[in-house]
Amino acid sequence: MIPPGQVPPRAEADDAESLGVDRAREIILGRVEPVSGSERLPLRGALGRVLAGDVISAMDVPGHDNSAMDGYALHHAELAADGETVLGIAGTAFAGRGFDGVVGARQCVRIMTGGVIPAGTDTVVAQEAVRVEGMHIVVPAGQRRGQHVRRAGEDLRAGAAALRAGKVIRPADLGLVASLGIAEVTVQRRLRVAIFSTGDELCSVGAPLGRGEVYDSNRYTLHGMLTRLGCDLLDLGVVRDRPDAIEAAFRQAAENADAVVTSGGVSVGEADFVRGLMAELGEVAFWKIAMRPGRPMAFGRIGGAWLFGLPGNPVAVMVTFYQFVREALLKMMGVSPTEPLPRFRVPCVTPLKKRRGRSEFQRGVLFADDGGWKVRATGAQGSGILSSMAEANCFIVIEPDRGDIEAGQPVEVQPFEGLI
Ligand code: AMP
Ligand code: MG
């Protein structure tokens, strides 16, 4: 492991040998730490935010034993071991309006779902299981003691942590916190992330495209991914391939953000140029990662901010973001534990070209047919072909030791829809 406070050694970064994907992820996650700072928010506003402290339940949920069914509450000991039992109906317990009377011998109480179990009863018989005869019911044999009763505290116990710090608040969590009667929660402050694109060939959307220029699409995909992750964005636009411009952008970004995510300018040639600058501004390692797309990448620290220098190719930006940046930013946001995107194996219906010795992240469409879930590749897989990414709903993750894959073989897929 790399000791904290030190950037990955140059030997590893500059080595002719490339860094494996898992190793790169491990180094990055080993370095970044959660940022400090929290805020108190009304419950609804906390959706998607990260809990800064445990939410402790001050009470049992539910607060009372109550019925899980519409039916009749009774004392199980009153029932005949075999054969039917006739019981008188002493009254009704509604949800929110209990039965306050006394349940005598050979009596039961009509009870609605959520109604508090009346004193003197311990079991609920579903209404469809009994025969009603005037003010009596006939209960068949075979009722289990305690059936259809939700116990006080079975959801949450008073004093227990209902939710742990580090959890991303989802709809179920909002409901759970509300069920405790808590109206405000303390969440981590939002992470501030600065982005910019580098390249002399880049043109911003809205301006006419000059000869040989391309529209800057990376800031838009980054905007989408970072916004879904819940970050505050500082968009510094397009920065030209000039040392003074790049230096100014890095300084401004590092002063105003917790993390800086850039695209372009880290490949051979350009990297040499940015590299000198980085030596002055901070500690940054340039990596060749054994993956496709996404081979060149820079990672390190500039001032108080972590830098993720992603490649320029539009697909490579997205692949490296999902594989490295996403989880690192989640950790910085205070999410704990962080987990990589889930993966599972399905048959691939298209043959795949794959070079051994590197991880490949091809774009796939996961679909279901009669035979279960399968994946197909989305046409051309060039790292500049963003339409392959737009069509895809998953990565097909092919391990370094695998070569070409025949149709029908199992492959790992990593769905990306809806996860951030
Ligand atoms: P680079 O990593 O800077 O050498 O860029 C690699 C390729 O990605 C080149 O074809 C660039 O034109 C393209 N590229 C770089 N940045 C962007 C961007 N922001 N939007 C779209 N394409 C880009
Ligand atoms: Mg460039």
Side-chain angles (χ1 to χ4, degrees), residues 348-416:
C348 183
V349 299
T350 39
L352 303 174
K353 283 264 170 236
K354 160 71 171 58
R355 205 171 85 192
R356 280 184 209 279
R358 66 186 184 194
S359 301
E360 289 194 14
F361 296 85
Q362 302 201 11
R363 274 73 67 206
V365 176
L366 196 57
F367 64 96
D369 70 7
D370 299 344
W373 286 92
K374 291 176 183 153
V375 69
R376 68 172 171 83
T378 58
Q381 295 287 321
S383 61
I385 302 178
L386 201 51
S387 57
S388 76
M389 193 72 200
E391 185 192 345
N393 61 14
C394 70
F395 289 121
I396 301 171
V397 185
I398 315 173
E399 302 84 346
D401 58 355
R402 284 183 93 175
D404 290 347
I405 291 168
E406 287 169 31
Q409 291 294 303
V411 290
E412 292 251 295
V413 292
Q414 192 172 45
F416 45 67

Side-chain angles (χ1 to χ4, degrees), residues 198-199 201 241 264-265 270:
T198 68
E201 77 282 26
D241 289 321
E270 285 173 313

